[in-house]
Structure formats: structure tokens, C-alpha cells
Amino acid sequence: MAAKEVVMSREGLDKLKAELEEFKTVRREEVKEKIKTARSYGDLSENAEYDAAKEEQAYVEAHIADLEGLIKSARVLDDSDLNTNVVSIGLSVEVLAEGDDPDEAEVYMLTGSTEADVDAGRISDESPMGKALVGKHVGDEAEVQLPNGSTMKVQVLRIFRA
């Protein structure tokens, strides 16, 4: 089965590559040393340090595999391909929720799922808000399906490059 394409910025891909390098070099070596030290304690059948180190090794190796998969399936956004007439990944959008005052408008940057960070205003195209906004134009309204089952209407005020 082909891996799902993961859309991300050049910055996001560079961060993943740096994290992969950190895990392949530093973290692997740290775990190798922990296993070596734990083995020196003797009987492995009742050695909690050894068990913990082996669990950490499994985590590190699984994370390396995950990162390699993400990097392999990454499609980097090209700024020249971004059309500010329609909401899409890589663009920022200013929205106003129904019933809010204009000064309460919020700005979100639409990203792929690997780069989402709600606290930083970066939302995934797979999030409820992201799904509702993708494909909308300035002036359009979108209905956002909230986790509690209700809906919220927002109006697109502005679409721009961040």
C-alpha cells in the first residue's frame, strides 16, 4: 500500500530531518549505552533497568521508522503554487465566528497534520475548522462541525500568505 502523501512546508520537512538525525545518532547511542550498562548488572531476567532500556530502544527505532516514512511521503509546498483566492494548505485565513464582534476575528494558518500547533495558530487541514475552510473564498461562510456535535458558522474575511 502506498503511503499517504503528507503536505508540509520546507521548514517542517527540515525539522523532521533534523529530528531523524538526532534519533539516529544521539538517541540510538544513548540507548545503546543504557543497555550496555544494564547488562553489566548481571541477571537480565530480573533487571528492570535492562527492560526499561529495551523498551526505550523499541520506541526510538519505531520513531525513526515513522520519521523516515513521513519524510519519504512528504510533498513540500511551493509558495508560487499558492493561490490567495481560495483557502488551502500553506495560507493563512482570517475568520469571524457568527455573533462575534469584528475585533474578535481569528487568524489561522492551514498546515498539514504534521505541522499543526493550535497554540501557535497553525491548524491542520484535517481538523474540523480546517476541513470547513479548505476551498472557501473571501466572503464565504463555513460550517464547522464541533466535537460536541453542534456546528459553528464562520465567515472568511481574508486569505493571505503568512
Side-chain angles (χ1 to χ4, degrees):
M1 180 168 102
K4 177 184 169 198
E5 182 177 77
V6 180
V7 180
M8 64 181 65
S9 65
R10 170 62 54 200
E11 176 187 355
L13 181 60
D14 290 345
K15 283 181 181 178
L16 286 179
K17 286 180 177 179
E19 184 178 355
L20 176 61
E21 187 62 25
E22 167 84 10
F23 268 74
K24 281 183 155 182
T25 56
V26 177
R27 294 291 302 270
R28 260 187 184 158
E29 286 304 311
E30 289 173 352
V31 170
K32 192 171 13 172
E33 285 302 311
K34 288 178 182 179
I35 291 171
K36 183 178 173 185
T37 301
R39 277 191 173 140
S40 72
Y41 296 150
D43 184 12
L44 299 181
S45 65
E46 294 183 19
N47 188 329
E49 288 87 357
Y50 180 77
D51 292 341
K54 290 300 279 184
E55 284 179 24
E56 186 176 353
Q57 181 184 42
Y59 166 76
V60 166
E61 294 305 320
H63 195 63
I64 287 171
D66 289 344
L67 289 170
E68 287 174 337
L70 281 172
I71 291 167
K72 185 176 179 180
S73 61
R75 179 173 66 86
V76 177
L77 285 172
D78 183 352
D79 280 351
S80 64
D81 292 338
L82 298 176
N83 175 354
T84 57
N85 293 325
V86 63
V87 177
S88 66
I89 294 176
L91 293 174
S92 291
V93 59
E94 183 177 14
V95 297
L96 181 64
E98 186 176 59
D100 282 357
D101 292 326
D103 63 334
E104 294 178 295
E106 297 198 21
V107 174
Y108 300 106
M109 178 175 188
L110 242 65
T111 68
S113 59
T114 60
E115 295 182 86
D117 179 356
V118 176
D119 293 335
R122 300 169 64 95
I123 61 170
S124 165
D125 63 321
E126 298 173 11
S127 69
M129 180 70 78
K131 282 181 191 176
L133 292 173
V134 169
K136 299 294 186 213
H137 299 83
V138 172
D140 286 353
E141 283 193 353
E143 280 197 15
V144 181
Q145 189 69 40
L146 301 175
N148 66 6
S150 64
T151 59
M152 172 177 84
K153 287 186 182 179
V154 295
Q155 182 179 25
V156 176
L157 301 177
R158 184 169 61 120
I159 304 167
F160 59 100
R161 287 185 174 88

